[in-house]
Amino acid sequence: MTYKKETVSEWLDEWLVVYVKSNLAEKTYKCYKDAVRRIRRESPPFYSEYLTNTTEFEIQVFVNSLAFRYAKSTLNDIRVVLNQSFKAAVQNDLCEKNPIVHISIPKNASQKYVRPLTQEEQVLVESIAKQDPLGHIVFFFLYTGLRSNELCSLTWQDYDCEKETITIRKSKTKAGIRIVPLIPEAKSIIEHLPHNGDHLFSSTRNGPVTESVLKKLYMRMRKKTGIKFITNHVYRHSFATRLVELGVEYKALSKLL
């Protein structure tokens, strides 16, 4: 069979538009697009080669070379993107086989470390959050340890006023489906929320809070506090750290998270 002469670079761009942007969630598209951007920036030899000439060996060499600069999660994103794109290439008769199938992540790849806020930093963050129209969301993250997608998915049906809990029905993991008890401060936040629709939290435009809205919020917090590493995930780690400081057992903490 004669295969079409198309480079890895050309195909990745096409694959992103046709297979990812048009068919998968926006968050997934952004993640895959970022992985392609990293591959482009590193510019490995196979990036400008034809799909038919790309070998498993040179891809493994490329992945190995990234071990000391990227976390395992990032390397896995790159592997997933290459695997899915080559799988689609095979289906479209652009190459004979997928060279990514047996690619492995190096054992010496670094683990991503998320530093929590210190108590002093958290006091500063809370003082600034009080001045932001969506600052109550920052407090809710710090009071519950929720993931950003979990908060975005919360509806009024998930809130039990009598039991003082919220039910997480959509989460990153299966274990993330859980009931979260609310401290009085977290319950008070919910009780003061406007009813702008089915979702618990809304933006300043009264629509449901999205990942984009939350990113803009933590970027404002970075700018106003000077703490450059603030993210929604940092709030989650800070919640866990405060509980550990209070002597909460790790097993109980794990269930909360």
Side-chain angles (χ1 to χ4, degrees), residues 42-54:
E42 297 295 335
S43 190
F46 69 83
Y47 186 64
S48 57
E49 288 182 1
Y50 291 127
L51 291 162
T52 52
N53 297 336
T54 306

Side-chain angles (χ1 to χ4, degrees), residues 98-142:
N98 183 355
I100 319 298
V101 177
H102 301 295
I103 296 298
S104 60
I105 303 300
K107 292 182 179 180
N108 58 355
S110 62
Q111 294 285 1
K112 187 177 181 180
Y113 173 69
V114 179
R115 181 169 88 75
L117 298 167
T118 64
Q119 293 185 21
E120 293 76 14
E121 288 170 336
Q122 184 163 330
V123 169
L124 174 60
V125 167
E126 291 178 354
S127 67
I128 297 300
K130 291 178 181 178
Q131 306 168 26
D132 193 283
L134 295 181
H136 57 280
I137 293 178
V138 174
F139 281 95
F140 200 78
F141 273 131
L142 292 170

Side-chain angles (χ1 to χ4, degrees), residues 2-257:
T2 301
Y3 297 99
K4 180 182 177 182
K5 295 293 185 179
E6 188 155 4
T7 66
V8 174
S9 170
E10 293 169 339
W11 176 242
L12 282 175
D13 290 337
E14 290 182 48
W15 171 79
L16 271 178
V17 174
V18 176
Y19 284 91
V20 182
K21 188 175 183 179
S22 303
N23 299 289
L24 301 182
E26 178 67 18
K27 186 175 182 179
T28 303
Y29 169 65
K30 289 181 178 179
C31 179
Y32 285 7
K33 185 178 181 181
D34 185 62
V36 171
R37 179 183 59 79
R38 291 181 190 276
I39 297 171
R40 181 183 299 112
R41 185 173 64 190
E42 297 295 335
S43 190
F46 69 83
Y47 186 64
S48 57
E49 288 182 1
Y50 291 127
L51 291 162
T52 52
N53 297 336
T54 306
T55 67
E56 175 185 315
F57 178 79
E58 58 187 341
I59 293 176
Q60 185 66 67
V61 169
F62 168 62
V63 173
N64 291 350
S65 71
L66 304 178
F68 293 102
R69 291 186 289 125
Y70 293 110
K72 285 186 177 180
S73 59
T74 301
L75 295 185
N76 190 58
D77 287 342
I78 291 174
R79 178 175 61 178
V80 168
V81 162
L82 289 173
N83 182 46
Q84 293 300 318
S85 61
F86 267 93
K87 183 178 179 181
V90 172
Q91 294 171 343
N92 284 277
D93 295 327
L94 297 177
C95 59
E96 181 179 3
K97 62 180 181 179
N98 183 355
I100 319 298
V101 177
H102 301 295
I103 296 298
S104 60
I105 303 300
K107 292 182 179 180
N108 58 355
S110 62
Q111 294 285 1
K112 187 177 181 180
Y113 173 69
V114 179
R115 181 169 88 75
L117 298 167
T118 64
Q119 293 185 21
E120 293 76 14
E121 288 170 336
Q122 184 163 330
V123 169
L124 174 60
V125 167
E126 291 178 354
S127 67
I128 297 300
K130 291 178 181 178
Q131 306 168 26
D132 193 283
L134 295 181
H136 57 280
I137 293 178
V138 174
F139 281 95
F140 200 78
F141 273 131
L142 292 170
Y143 292 157
T144 60
L146 297 187
R147 297 183 176 93
S148 58
N149 69 309
E150 294 172 347
L151 184 139
C152 290
S153 299
L154 283 176
T155 66
W156 285 102
Q157 289 185 332
D158 299 326
Y159 173 53
D160 191 318
C161 178
E162 293 184 1
K163 294 182 179 180
E164 301 183 340
T165 62
I166 52 174
T167 300
I168 306 300
R169 305 181 196 277
K170 295 181 181 180
S171 183
K172 182 179 179 181
T173 65
K174 193 172 182 179
I177 308 302
R178 64 198 187 282
I179 295 176
V180 178
L182 300 172
I183 63 174
E185 292 86 349
K187 180 183 178 183
S188 177
I189 289 174
I190 293 179
E191 293 294 336
H192 286 85
L193 291 175
H195 286 252
N196 291 323
D198 294 334
H199 284 80
L200 210 59
F201 290 93
S202 56
S203 67
T204 53
R205 296 184 178 182
N206 298 327
V209 162
T210 62
E211 294 280 358
S212 177
V213 170
L214 294 180
K215 181 176 181 179
K216 289 178 181 177
L217 174 58
Y218 74 65
M219 292 302 290
R220 291 199 298 273
M221 298 302 297
R222 286 185 183 185
K223 183 177 181 180
K224 294 179 180 180
T225 63
I227 303 173
K228 301 301 182 182
F229 63 89
I230 292 177
T231 64
N232 300 320
H233 209 54
V234 166
Y235 297 142
R236 179 172 164 83
H237 277 256
S238 301
F239 165 79
T241 301
R242 298 293 88 82
L243 291 185
V244 170
E245 292 169 351
L246 291 172
V248 174
E249 294 183 0
Y250 284 99
K251 188 174 182 180
L253 177 59
S254 177
K255 288 185 177 181
L256 283 174
L257 293 173

